Amino acid sequence: MYKKTVINKPQHLIFLVTTIAITLFKVNMIVAMLFAAIIGVFIYSNPTKNINGKKLFSIAAPLAFAPLLLSLFMFFIKVGSFIYGGGLVVIPFIENEVVNKLGWLTQTEFLAGIALGQLTPGPVVITACVGISGILGSILTLI
């Protein structure tokens, strides 16, 4: 798998530095992976991509102006990073956070979103998030 995915010098360097950090310096694996991802974004992204003659700086710019969307984005980064399994596995975690801790939805709204998600062929979790901040919020959970 290494030969198929790590194909150029920057990727080899990121792999080597991450491996050394984890094995020799006992850096937490999640921290090392996040560091490697950030370095990869800086190496491979073009922050001033031209689309229809307009310069776009990233998806992060709109998030800075919408605190709820930023909170939603960060919440699903946490869910996606630390919870493993299918959509139904993360429902109790999401329910505890969204209903009990953050208060974004009531218990009834959350259960209605889950029920709606069960009726549709799409992911359960994304459908439940329509109630939090609409379609844009649900799109951000896909990232």
Side-chain angles (χ1 to χ4, degrees), residues 17-81:
V17 170
T18 305
T19 303
I20 290 170
I22 292 169
T23 56
L24 295 180
F25 299 108
K26 306 297 183 209
V27 173
N28 182 300
M29 188 178 294
I30 293 171
V31 171
M33 289 181 356
L34 285 173
F35 176 75
I38 291 168
I39 297 300
V41 166
F42 281 115
I43 291 173
Y44 293 105
S45 70
N46 180 2
T48 57
K49 187 183 285 184
N50 280 324
I51 297 179
N52 296 333
K54 297 179 182 176
K55 289 192 173 193
L56 300 178
F57 289 94
S58 76
I59 194 167
L63 293 177
F65 299 106
L68 178 61
L69 293 178
L70 179 60
S71 298
L72 187 64
F73 178 75
M74 293 308 296
F75 172 72
F76 277 97
I77 289 291
K78 182 171 85 172
V79 169
S81 299

Side-chain angles (χ1 to χ4, degrees), residues 89-141:
V89 173
V90 300
I91 288 176
F93 176 78
I94 293 173
E95 178 183 17
N96 184 45
E97 293 284 322
V98 171
V99 175
N100 300 331
K101 290 184 180 176
L102 298 171
W104 286 343
L105 296 174
T106 66
Q107 184 73 29
T108 305
E109 291 170 332
F110 184 80
L111 291 175
I114 297 301
L116 179 63
Q118 292 295 323
L119 295 173
T120 63
V124 176
V125 176
I126 296 166
T127 306
C129 292
V130 172
I132 297 173
S133 63
I135 299 299
L136 183 57
S138 295
I139 291 170
L140 288 174
T141 62

